[in-house]
Amino acid sequence: MRVVILEDSQAVSQRAADIICQTVHQQPDCVLGLATGGTPLATYQQLVDRASQGLVSFSQVTTFNLDEYVGLPRQHRQSYWHFMHKNLFELADFNLARCFLPDGLADDLATACDDYERQIAEAGGIELQLLGIGTDGHIAFNEPGSSLGSRTRVKALAEQTRLDNARFFGSMEEVPELAVTMGVGSILASRQVLLLATGSSKADAVEAFIEGPITAAVPASALQLHRSVTVLLDRPAASRLRRLAYYERVEQLQRQLEQCAR
Ligand code: F6R
């Protein structure tokens, strides 16, 4: 796991956009896994800016989002379909026919979940999966206790998550109880993972998933088993890491190596 500590959240979004654009440059028809929430917003703005300057094109990219609330119509301001279309897809040159989200309105949710997994496999699997992390250590909506081998399915949101997301809805009562979410196993199947965390509210979860044991109590800790994970943190999110100085030294050496290779 490569742990990169950056000065502030703006540096996190710039570096995240660099990594995503590099993936798209190397493979213009790549498959990206995308996240919603407050954390990736500035990264999406970077991608929109770069696309509008002609520095990158997403026209051949396929995307799969991690999750969607159950029961919210697409046009609901808090549906993840709406979030992605208004904050990214419609602002850059994405082919909307290649932008997929789980269907939280399907009559048969279990079949829709299986279909989603099949669509990802048929697209060739996810090359780069972007993730945020919940204050309770969730990734996507895999709440504490989720099976570390889980695949796309319906999950009940934890009270902490509904409390955290109430800021988008106005009140906790309006936050849906259920979501369709890719599983931890679905995320582990992606070829590269890029996790972003900013702000002191994430510091405990960050310390637990990087330095704690692998446990379903902290679903993000399963990423310790993945061979290609980059974690981008601002200083507040990194503030509880015990091996902070070590990660910084490794990163310095890594940057030197990259410069030597140029
Ligand atoms: C969103 C998602 C969630 C968020 C997490 C952090 O698609 O999968 O796991 O990444 O809840 O949310 P923010 O970024 O709003 O703190």
Side-chain angles (χ1 to χ4, degrees):
M1 191 179 288
R2 184 170 177 181
V3 180
V4 185
I5 295 129
L6 296 157
E7 273 324 301
D8 53 27
S9 59
Q10 200 196 346
V12 168
S13 60
Q14 277 169 357
R15 183 71 72 87
D18 289 347
I19 293 170
I20 294 167
C21 289
Q22 194 184 9
T23 304
V24 175
H25 283 137
Q26 281 167 355
Q27 197 187 332
D29 61 350
C30 66
V31 178
L32 298 178
L34 297 177
T36 58
T39 311
L41 264 179
T43 301
Y44 292 158
Q45 188 56 54
Q46 290 272 338
L47 298 181
V48 168
D49 291 347
R50 293 178 196 200
S52 73
Q53 291 164 37
L55 299 174
V56 63
S57 169
F58 298 101
S59 60
Q60 296 178 61
V61 167
T62 299
T63 68
F64 288 94
N65 262 78
L66 287 167
D67 39 22
E68 177 59 283
Y69 291 114
V70 170
L72 286 194
R74 283 180 165 185
Q75 295 304 338
H76 189 289
R77 290 177 62 79
Q78 297 310 332
S79 81
Y80 285 166
W81 190 95
H82 187 268
F83 177 102
M84 290 308 299
H85 282 74
K86 295 301 161 204
N87 291 303
L88 184 63
F89 298 151
E90 290 173 10
L91 306 182
D93 62 342
F94 283 87
N95 177 347
L96 297 183
R98 290 215 191 98
C99 297
F100 299 95
L101 283 97
D103 183 358
L105 288 172
D107 291 334
D108 182 346
L109 286 169
T111 302
C113 291
D114 291 346
D115 288 348
Y116 200 63
E117 286 281 332
R118 196 167 40 250
Q119 277 177 306
I120 295 172
E122 282 171 4
I126 292 172
E127 182 59 37
L128 176 67
Q129 176 64 60
L130 181 64
L131 295 177
I133 184 169
T135 56
D136 62 0
H138 72 222
I139 44 174
F141 276 134
N142 296 288
E143 299 288 17
S146 293
S147 155
L148 301 186
S150 52
R151 292 284 174 162
T152 303
R153 70 217 183 290
V154 177
K155 279 296 286 184
L157 302 191
E159 286 305 283
Q160 182 61 50
T161 301
R162 295 186 64 233
L163 201 61
D164 289 344
N165 288 3
R167 70 192 194 279
F168 299 119
F169 283 83
S171 75
M172 189 164 156
E173 289 66 44
E174 292 169 65
V175 183
E177 301 262 4
L178 300 173
V180 176
T181 179
M182 276 190 209
V184 179
S186 325
I187 292 167
L188 291 178
S190 55
R191 289 187 279 283
Q192 298 172 67
V193 174
L194 175 61
L195 186 147
L196 317 181
T198 55
S200 57
S201 66
K202 301 293 172 71
D204 285 332
V206 164
E207 188 276 331
F209 98 85
I210 296 175
E211 297 183 335
I214 297 173
T215 165
V218 182
S221 65
L223 296 174
Q224 292 177 30
L225 293 168
H226 194 285
R227 61 190 293 223
S228 180
V229 177
T230 302
V231 182
L232 303 182
L233 304 171
D234 67 0
R235 295 226 159 254
S239 58
R240 301 258 160 80
L241 289 172
R242 281 163 287 154
R243 292 190 286 272
L244 183 84
Y246 175 72
Y247 306 131
E248 292 192 310
R249 193 158 59 81
V250 170
E251 191 51 25
Q252 253 179 8
L253 292 169
Q254 185 72 35
R255 302 295 275 181
Q256 281 170 17
L257 272 178
E258 283 167 5
Q259 271 164 9
C260 291
R262 272 186 209 135

